[in-house]
Amino acid sequence: MDRKLILNLSLLVGQLFLWQSCTHNSRRVTTANTKKEITAVSISTIGGFTATPSNGYTIRITRDSVYHLFSAIDTAHSTLKSYANTEDKWNLLLDKIDLEKFADAKEGESRQPYDGIDIKISIQAKSGKYTKLNADNSPSWNRIYKQLEESFSPQLLENKK
């Protein structure tokens, strides 16, 4: 009878270790899948036209491409350019994104009524699109914004001509 008890306890302990290792790996896979589920990130600036003519832009970044739409007040001067993206830049951007925290970020007020510029960041994922306007009080939004400015700012893209 003692052998049966020892055998059953050994099997129970083995099952617990197996269960723990399986759940631990599934957490890592879930985090990796969240990163893989993001298909595009966009940043847009809108407004600031009253006192000094200003121009807005939209930059859409995917794993392999960067699209830059420069929106001029006179639409005849608007341009759309595309560039190749690198795996390193894409991964640096993904490393800054926590999709859950970004989705929970509180948006700020529009700055356009005061001739300000609104900044909108959008993340396209397989689970949907997440968009936040002027959420600069959110650390998650700020991390993404800083990475977009460091790697994909209009000035950097214009230097690629």
Side-chain angles (χ1 to χ4, degrees):
M1 185 156 185
D2 286 326
R3 285 184 172 186
K4 279 188 172 183
L5 182 61
I6 292 172
L7 181 62
N8 285 338
L9 285 175
S10 297
L11 288 173
L12 181 62
V13 168
Q15 287 175 339
L16 285 173
F17 282 124
L18 181 63
W19 178 78
Q20 183 182 11
S21 69
C22 289
T23 57
H24 179 69
N25 288 337
S26 69
R27 285 186 201 125
R28 277 191 287 172
V29 169
T30 302
T31 302
N33 285 342
T34 300
K35 298 290 185 196
K36 289 179 183 176
E37 121 176 2
I38 295 172
T39 58
V41 178
S42 300
I43 182 169
S44 300
T45 61
I46 309 127
F49 299 113
T50 308
T52 312
S54 176
N55 300 300
Y57 66 86
T58 298
I59 300 172
R60 178 177 163 81
I61 301 110
T62 64
R63 177 175 297 286
D64 58 359
S65 301
V66 179
Y67 303 94
H68 178 219
L69 173 63
F70 175 77
S71 306
I73 293 172
D74 177 2
T75 56
H77 293 94
S78 294
T79 58
L80 175 63
K81 297 179 181 180
S82 63
Y83 308 92
N85 195 7
T86 66
E87 193 72 22
D88 289 340
K89 282 186 174 182
W90 177 249
N91 288 330
L92 279 172
L93 180 57
L94 290 183
D95 286 344
K96 301 296 181 189
I97 298 173
D98 182 327
L99 200 52
E100 286 180 32
K101 288 182 180 178
F102 181 81
D104 291 338
K106 185 179 178 195
E107 290 188 289
E109 298 285 323
S110 174
R111 297 176 182 130
Q112 288 188 48
Y114 311 104
D115 195 30
I117 297 173
D118 287 338
I119 300 172
K120 178 174 69 170
I121 296 176
S122 300
I123 299 173
Q124 182 68 49
K126 292 178 183 174
S127 59
K129 187 172 184 177
Y130 305 87
T131 302
K132 298 295 175 179
L133 180 73
N134 299 331
D136 32 5
N137 286 331
S138 162
S140 175
W141 190 92
N142 275 322
R143 271 193 307 279
I144 298 167
Y145 176 73
K146 286 178 184 171
Q147 187 61 45
L148 289 167
E149 285 295 304
E150 287 176 18
S151 298
F152 304 101
S153 72
Q155 295 81 14
L156 289 173
L157 294 175
E158 285 300 313
N159 290 336
K160 283 188 143 186
K161 288 183 180 179

Short mmCIF file of all heavy atoms in Angstrom, two decimals, residues 49-82:
data_model
loop_
_atom_site.label_atom_id
_atom_site.label_comp_id
_atom_site.label_asym_id
_atom_site.label_seq_id
_atom_site.Cartn_x
_atom_site.Cartn_y
_atom_site.Cartn_z
N PHE A 49 -3.52 75.23 -39.05
CA PHE A 49 -3.50 75.92 -40.33
C PHE A 49 -3.81 77.42 -40.26
O PHE A 49 -3.53 78.14 -41.20
CB PHE A 49 -4.53 75.29 -41.28
CG PHE A 49 -4.24 73.85 -41.57
CD1 PHE A 49 -5.08 72.85 -41.13
CD2 PHE A 49 -3.11 73.49 -42.28
CE1 PHE A 49 -4.81 71.52 -41.41
CE2 PHE A 49 -2.84 72.17 -42.56
CZ PHE A 49 -3.69 71.19 -42.12
N THR A 50 -4.39 77.95 -39.20
CA THR A 50 -4.91 79.30 -39.21
C THR A 50 -3.84 80.39 -39.29
O THR A 50 -3.79 81.15 -40.24
CB THR A 50 -5.80 79.54 -37.97
OG1 THR A 50 -6.76 78.50 -37.92
CG2 THR A 50 -6.51 80.87 -38.09
N ALA A 51 -2.98 80.50 -38.31
CA ALA A 51 -2.01 81.60 -38.25
C ALA A 51 -0.90 81.43 -39.28
O ALA A 51 -0.59 82.34 -40.02
CB ALA A 51 -1.42 81.70 -36.86
N THR A 52 -0.32 80.29 -39.34
CA THR A 52 0.76 80.02 -40.28
C THR A 52 0.37 78.79 -41.09
O THR A 52 0.05 77.76 -40.49
CB THR A 52 2.07 79.68 -39.53
OG1 THR A 52 2.27 80.66 -38.52
CG2 THR A 52 3.24 79.63 -40.47
N PRO A 53 0.36 78.90 -42.41
CA PRO A 53 0.01 77.72 -43.18
C PRO A 53 0.91 76.55 -42.79
O PRO A 53 2.12 76.67 -42.75
CB PRO A 53 0.25 78.14 -44.63
CG PRO A 53 0.14 79.62 -44.61
CD PRO A 53 0.64 80.05 -43.25
N SER A 54 0.29 75.47 -42.45
CA SER A 54 1.01 74.30 -41.98
C SER A 54 0.61 73.11 -42.84
O SER A 54 -0.36 73.18 -43.58
CB SER A 54 0.66 74.05 -40.52
OG SER A 54 1.28 72.88 -40.07
N ASN A 55 1.34 72.08 -42.74
CA ASN A 55 1.04 70.88 -43.50
C ASN A 55 0.93 69.71 -42.56
O ASN A 55 1.65 69.62 -41.58
CB ASN A 55 2.14 70.62 -44.53
CG ASN A 55 2.29 71.76 -45.49
OD1 ASN A 55 1.35 72.10 -46.19
ND2 ASN A 55 3.45 72.38 -45.51
N GLY A 56 0.02 68.83 -42.88
CA GLY A 56 -0.14 67.62 -42.09
C GLY A 56 0.50 66.46 -42.81
O GLY A 56 0.87 66.54 -43.98
N TYR A 57 0.64 65.38 -42.10
CA TYR A 57 1.17 64.18 -42.73
C TYR A 57 0.57 62.95 -42.06
O TYR A 57 0.08 63.01 -40.94
CB TYR A 57 2.70 64.13 -42.67
CG TYR A 57 3.27 64.00 -41.27
CD1 TYR A 57 3.43 62.74 -40.67
CD2 TYR A 57 3.65 65.11 -40.54
CE1 TYR A 57 3.94 62.61 -39.39
CE2 TYR A 57 4.18 65.00 -39.27
CZ TYR A 57 4.32 63.75 -38.70
OH TYR A 57 4.82 63.63 -37.43
N THR A 58 0.61 61.88 -42.81
CA THR A 58 0.25 60.57 -42.29
C THR A 58 1.36 59.62 -42.71
O THR A 58 1.75 59.60 -43.87
CB THR A 58 -1.10 60.07 -42.84
OG1 THR A 58 -2.12 60.98 -42.43
CG2 THR A 58 -1.42 58.67 -42.33
N ILE A 59 1.85 58.85 -41.75
CA ILE A 59 2.86 57.84 -42.04
C ILE A 59 2.28 56.50 -41.59
O ILE A 59 1.86 56.37 -40.44
CB ILE A 59 4.19 58.14 -41.32
CG1 ILE A 59 4.73 59.49 -41.78
CG2 ILE A 59 5.20 57.02 -41.58
CD1 ILE A 59 5.93 59.97 -41.01
N ARG A 60 2.25 55.56 -42.49
CA ARG A 60 1.75 54.21 -42.19
C ARG A 60 2.92 53.25 -42.34
O ARG A 60 3.55 53.19 -43.40
CB ARG A 60 0.62 53.83 -43.13
CG ARG A 60 0.06 52.45 -42.92
CD ARG A 60 -1.12 52.22 -43.85
NE ARG A 60 -1.47 50.84 -44.02
CZ ARG A 60 -2.20 50.12 -43.18
NH1 ARG A 60 -2.66 50.68 -42.09
NH2 ARG A 60 -2.47 48.86 -43.41
N ILE A 61 3.19 52.51 -41.27
CA ILE A 61 4.33 51.60 -41.24
C ILE A 61 3.81 50.18 -41.17
O ILE A 61 2.98 49.84 -40.32
CB ILE A 61 5.24 51.88 -40.02
CG1 ILE A 61 5.77 53.32 -40.06
CG2 ILE A 61 6.41 50.92 -39.98
CD1 ILE A 61 5.19 54.19 -39.01
N THR A 62 4.31 49.34 -42.06
CA THR A 62 4.04 47.90 -42.00
C THR A 62 5.38 47.19 -41.87
O THR A 62 6.44 47.83 -41.87
CB THR A 62 3.32 47.41 -43.28
OG1 THR A 62 4.19 47.60 -44.41
CG2 THR A 62 2.01 48.16 -43.50
N ARG A 63 5.34 45.90 -41.77
CA ARG A 63 6.57 45.13 -41.59
C ARG A 63 7.59 45.42 -42.70
O ARG A 63 8.78 45.53 -42.45
CB ARG A 63 6.25 43.63 -41.57
CG ARG A 63 7.48 42.74 -41.47
CD ARG A 63 7.14 41.27 -41.34
NE ARG A 63 6.40 40.95 -40.14
CZ ARG A 63 6.91 40.90 -38.90
NH1 ARG A 63 8.17 41.15 -38.71
NH2 ARG A 63 6.15 40.60 -37.87
N ASP A 64 7.12 45.57 -43.93
CA ASP A 64 8.07 45.73 -45.04
C ASP A 64 8.02 47.08 -45.75
O ASP A 64 8.85 47.34 -46.60
CB ASP A 64 7.88 44.61 -46.05
CG ASP A 64 6.47 44.55 -46.61
OD1 ASP A 64 5.62 45.36 -46.20
OD2 ASP A 64 6.20 43.68 -47.46
N SER A 65 7.07 47.97 -45.39
CA SER A 65 6.94 49.23 -46.11
C SER A 65 6.61 50.40 -45.19
O SER A 65 6.06 50.22 -44.11
CB SER A 65 5.83 49.14 -47.16
OG SER A 65 6.09 48.10 -48.06
N VAL A 66 6.94 51.59 -45.66
CA VAL A 66 6.59 52.84 -44.98
C VAL A 66 5.95 53.73 -46.05
O VAL A 66 6.54 53.97 -47.10
CB VAL A 66 7.83 53.55 -44.39
CG1 VAL A 66 7.44 54.86 -43.73
CG2 VAL A 66 8.56 52.64 -43.42
N TYR A 67 4.73 54.19 -45.77
CA TYR A 67 4.02 55.07 -46.68
C TYR A 67 3.92 56.44 -46.02
O TYR A 67 3.48 56.54 -44.89
CB TYR A 67 2.63 54.53 -46.99
CG TYR A 67 2.66 53.14 -47.57
CD1 TYR A 67 2.53 52.02 -46.75
CD2 TYR A 67 2.85 52.95 -48.93
CE1 TYR A 67 2.58 50.75 -47.28
CE2 TYR A 67 2.90 51.67 -49.46
CZ TYR A 67 2.76 50.58 -48.64
OH TYR A 67 2.82 49.32 -49.16
N HIS A 68 4.31 57.48 -46.76
CA HIS A 68 4.31 58.84 -46.22
C HIS A 68 3.42 59.70 -47.11
O HIS A 68 3.75 59.95 -48.28
CB HIS A 68 5.74 59.38 -46.19
CG HIS A 68 5.84 60.78 -45.71
ND1 HIS A 68 6.70 61.69 -46.25
CD2 HIS A 68 5.19 61.44 -44.73
CE1 HIS A 68 6.58 62.85 -45.64
NE2 HIS A 68 5.66 62.72 -44.71
N LEU A 69 2.28 60.14 -46.57
CA LEU A 69 1.38 61.04 -47.28
C LEU A 69 1.57 62.42 -46.69
O LEU A 69 1.29 62.66 -45.52
CB LEU A 69 -0.08 60.60 -47.13
CG LEU A 69 -1.13 61.58 -47.69
CD1 LEU A 69 -0.96 61.73 -49.20
CD2 LEU A 69 -2.52 61.10 -47.34
N PHE A 70 2.08 63.34 -47.50
CA PHE A 70 2.30 64.72 -47.10
C PHE A 70 1.08 65.49 -47.60
O PHE A 70 0.84 65.57 -48.80
CB PHE A 70 3.59 65.23 -47.72
CG PHE A 70 3.86 66.67 -47.47
CD1 PHE A 70 4.32 67.09 -46.23
CD2 PHE A 70 3.66 67.63 -48.46
CE1 PHE A 70 4.60 68.42 -45.99
CE2 PHE A 70 3.93 68.96 -48.22
CZ PHE A 70 4.39 69.37 -46.99
N SER A 71 0.28 66.06 -46.69
CA SER A 71 -0.96 66.74 -47.05
C SER A 71 -0.74 68.24 -47.00
O SER A 71 -0.58 68.81 -45.94
CB SER A 71 -2.08 66.37 -46.08
OG SER A 71 -2.22 64.99 -45.99
N ALA A 72 -0.73 68.87 -48.16
CA ALA A 72 -0.58 70.32 -48.24
C ALA A 72 -1.96 70.96 -48.27
O ALA A 72 -2.95 70.32 -48.62
CB ALA A 72 0.19 70.69 -49.49
N ILE A 73 -2.03 72.23 -47.88
CA ILE A 73 -3.30 72.95 -47.93
C ILE A 73 -3.81 72.95 -49.37
O ILE A 73 -4.98 72.68 -49.62
CB ILE A 73 -3.14 74.39 -47.40
CG1 ILE A 73 -2.83 74.34 -45.91
CG2 ILE A 73 -4.38 75.21 -47.66
CD1 ILE A 73 -2.47 75.67 -45.31
N ASP A 74 -2.93 73.23 -50.31
CA ASP A 74 -3.26 73.12 -51.72
C ASP A 74 -3.05 71.66 -52.10
O ASP A 74 -1.91 71.20 -52.22
CB ASP A 74 -2.35 74.05 -52.54
CG ASP A 74 -2.60 73.92 -54.04
OD1 ASP A 74 -3.50 73.16 -54.45
OD2 ASP A 74 -1.88 74.60 -54.79
N THR A 75 -4.12 70.91 -52.26
CA THR A 75 -4.01 69.46 -52.47
C THR A 75 -3.21 69.09 -53.70
O THR A 75 -2.75 67.96 -53.81
CB THR A 75 -5.41 68.81 -52.52
OG1 THR A 75 -6.17 69.45 -53.56
CG2 THR A 75 -6.12 68.93 -51.19
N ALA A 76 -3.02 70.02 -54.62
CA ALA A 76 -2.19 69.73 -55.79
C ALA A 76 -0.74 69.48 -55.38
O ALA A 76 0.02 68.85 -56.11
CB ALA A 76 -2.26 70.89 -56.79
N HIS A 77 -0.36 69.97 -54.21
CA HIS A 77 1.01 69.79 -53.72
C HIS A 77 1.14 68.62 -52.74
O HIS A 77 2.20 68.41 -52.17
CB HIS A 77 1.52 71.08 -53.06
CG HIS A 77 1.69 72.19 -54.05
ND1 HIS A 77 0.71 73.11 -54.29
CD2 HIS A 77 2.72 72.48 -54.87
CE1 HIS A 77 1.13 73.96 -55.22
NE2 HIS A 77 2.35 73.60 -55.59
N SER A 78 0.06 67.89 -52.52
CA SER A 78 0.13 66.71 -51.65
C SER A 78 0.90 65.61 -52.38
O SER A 78 0.81 65.48 -53.59
CB SER A 78 -1.27 66.21 -51.30
OG SER A 78 -1.94 67.16 -50.51
N THR A 79 1.67 64.85 -51.61
CA THR A 79 2.46 63.78 -52.21
C THR A 79 2.35 62.50 -51.39
O THR A 79 2.17 62.54 -50.17
CB THR A 79 3.95 64.16 -52.30
OG1 THR A 79 4.43 64.45 -50.99
CG2 THR A 79 4.17 65.35 -53.21
N LEU A 80 2.47 61.39 -52.08
CA LEU A 80 2.50 60.09 -51.43
C LEU A 80 3.78 59.40 -51.87
O LEU A 80 4.05 59.27 -53.06
CB LEU A 80 1.29 59.24 -51.82
CG LEU A 80 1.29 57.80 -51.30
CD1 LEU A 80 1.24 57.78 -49.77
CD2 LEU A 80 0.12 57.02 -51.88
N LYS A 81 4.58 59.00 -50.90
CA LYS A 81 5.83 58.31 -51.18
C LYS A 81 5.85 57.01 -50.38
O LYS A 81 5.24 56.92 -49.33
CB LYS A 81 7.03 59.17 -50.80
CG LYS A 81 7.11 60.46 -51.60
CD LYS A 81 8.29 61.29 -51.16
CE LYS A 81 8.32 62.58 -51.97
NZ LYS A 81 9.44 63.43 -51.60
N SER A 82 6.58 56.06 -50.88
CA SER A 82 6.73 54.81 -50.13
C SER A 82 8.21 54.43 -50.09
O SER A 82 8.98 54.76 -50.98
CB SER A 82 5.90 53.69 -50.75
OG SER A 82 6.34 53.41 -52.05
#
